[in-house]
Amino acid sequence: ALLNGACLAIVDSDTVLQPDTFARTLMTHRVSVMFMTTALFSLYAEALSEVFKNLRHLLFGGESLDPGAARRVLRHSAPRHLLHVYGPTETTTFATAYEIKAIDEQARSMPIGHAIAATQVYVLDGAMQLAPTGVSGEIYIGGAGVALGYLNQPELTQASFVADPFKAHGAGM
């Protein structure tokens, strides 16, 4: 935010846990872009409706989403852009994004979207080969946003990070 000329509002946990105080704080600071965990988004889908509808971007992610919460936000307090994001801790904040514009009434889950810039996302089978479309596999993420490993934990790094088999320069994923 700061590198792009925006202000950064840091909200303490006591404020976040009080819906009215949280809403007032966000409105006072004229927050226009917000990232929330999925649990917090779902909890506050109605309580922060006045805030949500004034946002340019509302991003949420971190765990599985109940589409009902996103449906309520789209119907009653849609921000300009509502984004479901996905990414494990090893990719900083997130590695994929999906803009939600509509949700089928029968939907039971939400897509995680497409890779963000400078990121590659693969679904691989047990032999580390690309899984065909529609076939289950493991998600592997590569690119500039992937951590180099775990600090002072070489065994965990070796177990969790692998060389990217699809990049000639051997970048990790």
Side-chain angles (χ1 to χ4, degrees), residues 94-118:
F94 54 89
T96 68
Y98 176 76
E99 185 166 4
I100 304 169
K101 295 183 178 188
I103 304 171
D104 184 279
E105 288 299 321
Q106 307 307 315
R108 300 180 99 163
S109 62
M110 292 300 305
I112 62 170
H114 299 282
I116 62 171

Side-chain angles (χ1 to χ4, degrees), residues 22-114:
F22 188 31
R24 263 194 316 280
T25 300
L26 295 170
M27 291 169 79
T28 297
H29 291 289
R30 297 183 359 215
V31 170
S32 60
V33 177
M34 184 165 54
F35 173 77
M36 308 176 83
T37 64
T38 302
L40 199 58
F41 169 80
S42 295
L43 180 66
Y44 288 161
E46 292 175 32
L48 293 181
S49 62
E50 290 303 309
V51 173
F52 287 178
K53 67 183 176 186
N54 292 315
L55 295 173
R56 282 194 335 254
H57 293 87
L58 174 55
L59 300 88
F60 64 91
E63 56 262 341
S64 183
L65 168 70
D66 167 18
R71 271 191 214 98
R72 286 191 299 279
V73 169
L74 284 177
R75 284 185 188 132
H76 306 293
S77 56
R80 201 172 312 156
H81 302 280
L82 180 62
L83 296 141
H84 181 221
V85 297
Y86 166 81
T89 302
E90 294 80 6
T91 61
T92 312
T93 306
F94 54 89
T96 68
Y98 176 76
E99 185 166 4
I100 304 169
K101 295 183 178 188
I103 304 171
D104 184 279
E105 288 299 321
Q106 307 307 315
R108 300 180 99 163
S109 62
M110 292 300 305
I112 62 170
H114 299 282

Side-chain angles (χ1 to χ4, degrees), residues 113-130:
H114 299 282
I116 62 171
T119 303
Q120 299 80 43
V121 177
Y122 310 105
V123 178
L124 304 180
D125 63 19
M128 297 282 291
Q129 297 299 309
L130 291 171

Side-chain angles (χ1 to χ4, degrees), residues 110-162:
M110 292 300 305
I112 62 170
H114 299 282
I116 62 171
T119 303
Q120 299 80 43
V121 177
Y122 310 105
V123 178
L124 304 180
D125 63 19
M128 297 282 291
Q129 297 299 309
L130 291 171
T133 301
V135 174
S136 296
E138 289 285 327
I139 296 174
Y140 286 80
I141 301 170
V146 176
L148 299 177
Y150 297 109
L151 183 62
N152 300 323
Q153 297 185 50
E155 297 84 17
L156 186 56
T157 296
Q158 187 175 5
S160 300
F161 292 82
V162 298

